[in-house]
Amino acid sequence: RTQRALAELEIEGIPTTRELAIDIWRAVDLGLELGIYAYDAYILEGAKSSGFPLLALDGPIRRNAKKLGLSLVELDL
């Protein structure tokens, strides 16, 4: 199911793999601001700085993405 969902995203023109340069200090600041784990802050900062939509199945990271006004990809799994 997951492979099919990722393939569908690629068909729709949404890249599912890409290397990004992420400012670690902005991620740390974001983590402190939101009171979240550094890993989650790093993922959110990547989406925020790149402008790419975020594919996340985790509830807390999705809620914080919405707080930040980030685009989310919704999957029906």
Side-chain angles (χ1 to χ4, degrees):
R1 288 165 74 182
T2 303
Q3 291 295 338
R4 189 182 83 227
L6 291 175
E8 288 176 16
L9 290 174
E10 289 285 351
I11 289 168
E12 292 180 25
I14 300 171
T16 56
T17 58
R18 180 172 298 201
E19 288 187 32
L20 298 175
I22 299 171
D23 185 322
I24 190 71
W25 297 114
R26 285 198 321 227
V28 168
D29 288 341
L30 184 61
L32 292 171
E33 175 186 328
L34 296 173
I36 60 175
Y37 291 111
Y39 178 82
D40 288 355
Y42 189 78
I43 297 300
L44 290 167
E45 179 57 35
K48 185 177 172 187
S49 65
S50 70
F52 290 125
L54 179 64
L55 170 62
L57 303 176
D58 179 75
I61 201 167
R62 289 168 59 101
R63 282 191 295 279
N64 282 303
K66 287 178 181 180
K67 279 184 196 175
L68 296 170
L70 301 177
S71 297
L72 285 168
V73 175
E74 305 284 339
L75 291 182
D76 295 324
L77 296 177

